[in-house]
Amino acid sequence: MSTMITKDVSCPNCGEPHSVDIITSINAHDNPELKEKVLDESLFDFRCDRCNYTCQVTWPLVYHDPDAGFMVIMYAQGQTGNAAEPPATLRNVVKRRVSTLAELKEKVLIFDNGLNDVAVEMVKDALWKIIEKTYQNASVEPYFSKKNIDGSLEFAIYLQGSENPVYHTIKSEVYNQSAEVLRSLDYKEENDFTQVGRELAEKLLEEYKGE
C-alpha cells in the first residue's frame, strides 16, 4: 500500500502557503500510476497557485516493487523526515538507498530490465572515465536508460551546462564481464539498505585487480 501525508509548504518564490499532498511510500504493484510519476520524474512537482512558480518539493520516500523484489529508500543529502523506513532485516528483497529522484528512477529501470545494479555501476565507472576524457568535463552524470533488444545497454549522459543528455550505448559483453567480476569476488548482498554507486564500483574493481 502506498502512503501519503499533507504538508504545509511555502512557495520558494513568493512565500504563498500551500497544503501539499506528499507521497511517502510507493507500492509499485498497487499504484502503477505513481511508478510512472517516478519514471517521468514528476512525483515531486510543485506549482504555486499565486505566481505559477514551479519546482520540486522532495521528501523522504520508500519505493517497493514486490513483483521485481526490490525496495529503495530515498533521502536527499542532509535531509530528514518521517517516512516509515522498513526494517533492514526484510528478507528476499534487494535493498538500496539513493539521494535523488533521478537515482531512484535509474534503480527502477535497472531492476525492471532484470539487471544487477552493481554490475551496471561497474560499467558506468568505465563509461565515466571515457566521457571525462572525451568531453574534457569532469562534471558528468551518466544514468542507465534502457536495455536494447540485442542486449546492449543505453546510458543517458548529462554534461554540465547542457539541458539535454547525449546517449551512449555499451555492448552486452561489457556488462557480462562486470557480472563475471562480481561472481569472481563472490559478492554478496548486504542485509542493510546499500548505496550502490561509483564508490562501491571502484572499490570492487580495485579488489578484483588485486586478486
Side-chain angles (χ1 to χ4, degrees):
M1 178 183 295
S2 303
T3 58
M4 179 177 62
I5 62 173
T6 300
K7 190 75 175 177
D8 293 329
V9 299
S10 297
C11 173
N13 184 55
C14 70
E16 180 74 6
H18 293 265
S19 290
V20 179
D21 292 332
I22 297 175
I23 305 297
T24 58
S25 70
I26 294 175
N27 184 303
H29 177 83
D30 294 342
N31 297 101
E33 75 282 1
L34 295 179
K35 174 181 178 178
E36 289 305 312
K37 286 182 176 292
V38 171
L39 294 178
D40 65 20
E41 299 186 53
S42 66
L43 184 68
F44 298 119
D45 283 1
F46 166 85
R47 178 184 292 276
C48 178
D49 295 333
R50 180 183 179 187
C51 69
N52 286 323
Y53 179 79
T54 59
C55 65
Q56 289 200 333
V57 178
T58 60
W59 196 256
L61 174 71
V62 176
Y63 183 98
H64 183 208
D65 189 328
D67 299 321
F70 72 94
M71 182 176 288
V72 183
I73 294 177
M74 192 194 85
Y75 276 103
Q77 292 182 356
Q79 187 180 56
T80 59
N82 59 358
E85 183 167 330
T89 54
L90 195 64
R91 295 184 177 182
N92 301 319
V93 172
V94 175
K95 298 180 283 293
R96 295 291 182 260
R97 182 180 296 270
V98 299
S99 58
T100 68
L101 184 57
E103 291 175 359
L104 172 59
K105 172 184 176 180
E106 181 183 47
K107 293 299 180 189
V108 173
L109 290 172
I110 289 172
F111 292 129
D112 274 0
N113 279 275
L115 300 171
N116 182 310
D117 65 327
V118 183
V120 171
E121 288 296 334
M122 295 169 77
V123 173
K124 284 172 61 178
D125 181 70
L127 180 58
W128 229 313
K129 292 178 174 66
I130 294 172
I131 296 167
E132 288 173 352
K133 184 177 180 180
T134 302
Y135 294 95
Q136 299 295 307
N137 189 336
S139 300
V140 292
E141 290 293 339
Y143 291 95
F144 173 78
S145 177
K146 67 178 181 179
K147 181 179 180 181
N148 296 313
I149 296 176
D150 63 359
S152 61
L153 308 184
E154 182 182 272
F155 293 85
I157 301 159
Y158 292 85
L159 302 172
Q160 188 178 41
S162 178
E163 184 176 345
N164 297 317
V166 295
Y167 292 92
H168 192 96
T169 300
I170 299 292
K171 292 182 178 180
S172 60
E173 289 81 0
V174 180
Y175 170 81
N176 294 337
Q177 289 169 2
S178 296
E180 184 57 39
V181 168
L182 292 179
R183 285 190 288 269
S184 175
L185 293 173
D186 195 25
Y187 178 78
K188 303 294 185 184
E189 286 286 339
E190 297 183 9
N191 289 326
D192 203 353
F193 287 85
T194 307
Q195 189 158 11
V196 173
R198 190 177 187 181
E199 183 177 347
L200 176 62
E202 289 181 336
K203 177 183 176 182
L204 291 172
L205 287 169
E206 284 298 320
E207 183 179 341
Y208 177 72
K209 291 175 184 177
E211 283 192 336

